[in-house]
Amino acid sequence: MNIDLIDQINNWGKNSFLKYGLIETIINIGLILILAFIVSKLLKKFIHRHYKGNKLFILRLKNIVVYSFAIYGCLNQFLPFSDITKILAASTGIVTLALGLAAQDAVGNFVNGMMIAMFKPFKIGDLIRIDSENIIGTVVDISLRHTIIQTYENTRVIIPNSTMNKAILENISTTNNRKANFLELDISYESDVDKAMDIIKEEILRHPNFLDVRTQEEKNNHIPPVITRITGFLDSSVHLKTTIYSKNNAEGFAMLCDLRYAIKKRFDKEGIEFPYPHRTITYKEEVTKSDAE
């Protein structure tokens, strides 16, 4: 009696909307889900152990692939799904064209996301600058569709991966924790250039964010930690330029602001003048014959 009841339950829906018996379908779906869960866990451990790049992106891709197969396996237990699959297979060209047109941008972003994951022009946590978009900030997420950048204004900019892959960008974080900052100042021609250079050097060496990047060999050869150069003679000023290193862009920006203030105070005290636009006019008096007589 129990065996007959089990057969009746198992045969319920068979060949009408189930490929197999009810009990077999439940067992198959359970096995598919368990297998997908195990494969997902194993791949997750493998990625964390061996992959050094954007793990979040690869984990998302892993989830899409594994669970897509799992969902397909579960739905394939039902006859209506198989019928739909046959219809789609018979009209593959039309469906492919329709999907291609509808998902052109999505597929493009996905492919470009894969390119970013493979070639790693930047990763999560990198500080990047995109001049064409006038954007500078830290990469906080790279998904299958877009990249999210957090700016200095604490806003988040979402950029499609197709744009990121084509853009000319500067990865500031790949400079081995050394950011070059340029301090540019103009002094008047009447000012003492040597004194101005000494003041600039003293103020830079005092600043806590200044980073001495000299090698031991350069130190042994007495190469100074700060070098200021004259880079041009302008209409009313001498142009001075100093390269200063900091740990990162944020510290470099703050250091330049502090130095401009401190150097301005020292220049005022030491008599070093900043130039301002001025014009010299020469007046020539015309002498007439009557005046000459």
Side-chain angles (χ1 to χ4, degrees):
M1 185 68 181
N2 291 335
I3 296 176
D4 293 337
L5 180 60
I6 292 174
D7 288 337
Q8 288 179 7
I9 295 173
N10 187 46
N11 291 329
W12 181 82
K14 187 175 181 180
N15 298 326
S16 59
F17 66 92
L18 294 178
K19 273 188 177 182
Y20 312 101
L22 178 62
I23 297 176
E24 292 172 304
T25 301
I26 294 173
I27 293 174
N28 290 340
I29 291 175
L31 290 175
I32 290 171
L33 294 178
I34 292 172
L35 181 62
F37 179 79
I38 293 173
V39 171
S40 179
K41 288 293 184 181
L42 292 175
L43 288 175
K44 183 178 180 180
K45 289 183 179 179
F46 179 83
I47 291 169
H48 280 297
R49 186 174 301 174
H50 299 285
Y51 190 75
K52 304 298 182 183
N54 182 10
K55 295 181 181 179
L56 184 59
F57 180 88
I58 299 299
L59 289 173
R60 285 171 175 167
L61 183 61
K62 179 265 300 179
N63 288 336
I64 290 176
V65 173
V66 172
Y67 290 111
S68 293
F69 278 106
I71 292 172
Y72 175 81
C74 292
L75 292 177
N76 200 43
Q77 305 298 312
F78 301 90
L79 289 174
F81 179 76
S82 299
D83 295 337
I84 294 173
T85 305
K86 291 177 183 178
I87 295 172
L88 293 176
S91 56
T92 302
I94 299 175
V95 173
T96 302
L97 179 61
L99 290 176
L101 293 175
Q104 185 176 4
D105 292 339
V107 173
N109 288 324
F110 176 80
V111 172
N112 283 282
M114 292 292 295
M115 299 277 290
I116 292 172
M118 289 173 59
F119 296 103
K120 304 182 186 70
F122 56 86
K123 62 182 184 298
I124 294 176
D126 282 357
L127 178 67
I128 62 174
R129 177 189 288 115
I130 309 173
D131 290 331
S132 60
E133 307 295 332
N134 195 26
I135 294 173
I136 180 171
T138 303
V139 179
V140 295
D141 191 17
I142 305 172
S143 70
L144 299 175
R145 179 188 174 276
H146 55 254
T147 298
I148 301 178
I149 298 176
Q150 184 166 343
T151 65
Y152 286 137
E153 291 79 16
N154 203 29
T155 60
R156 292 198 171 192
V157 182
I158 301 173
I159 306 175
N161 285 331
S162 56
T163 302
M164 291 297 296
N165 200 35
K166 295 176 184 176
I168 299 175
L169 57 87
E170 178 186 2
N171 192 333
I172 302 172
S173 298
T174 59
T175 55
N176 297 323
N177 293 326
R178 294 181 182 180
K179 172 66 174 64
N181 311 277
F182 301 104
L183 178 65
E184 301 186 56
L185 299 169
D186 293 322
I187 62 173
S188 65
Y189 281 103
E190 294 77 18
S191 299
D192 189 334
V193 176
D194 292 327
K195 182 183 288 187
M197 289 182 173
D198 288 339
I199 291 172
I200 292 172
K201 177 181 178 180
E202 291 170 6
E203 294 301 325
I204 291 174
L205 292 177
R206 284 195 188 121
H207 200 281
N209 289 347
F210 168 69
L211 188 64
D212 189 352
V213 298
R214 293 177 299 167
T215 63
Q216 189 58 47
E217 182 180 358
E218 289 173 336
K219 292 179 181 180
N220 295 336
N221 292 332
H222 305 291
I223 302 297
V226 177
I227 299 176
T228 300
R229 293 182 171 88
I230 297 177
T231 58
F233 296 104
L234 307 182
D235 292 339
S236 59
S237 65
V238 179
H239 188 70
L240 304 178
K241 185 174 182 179
T242 311
T243 303
I244 318 165
Y245 286 90
S246 61
K247 290 182 180 180
N248 52 55
N249 192 71
E251 287 191 5
F253 175 80
M255 178 170 59
L256 289 177
C257 295
D258 295 342
L259 288 174
R260 292 188 188 103
Y261 176 81
I263 291 171
K264 173 66 169 63
K265 301 286 285 185
R266 286 287 306 278
F267 276 11
D268 291 344
K269 184 178 179 181
E270 300 291 340
I272 306 295
E273 296 182 355
F274 287 103
Y276 53 88
H278 64 277
R279 181 176 297 173
T280 301
I281 300 175
T282 303
Y283 175 76
K284 291 184 179 181
E285 184 177 359
E286 184 178 354
V287 180
T288 63
K289 287 186 179 181
S290 59
D291 291 335
E293 293 176 355

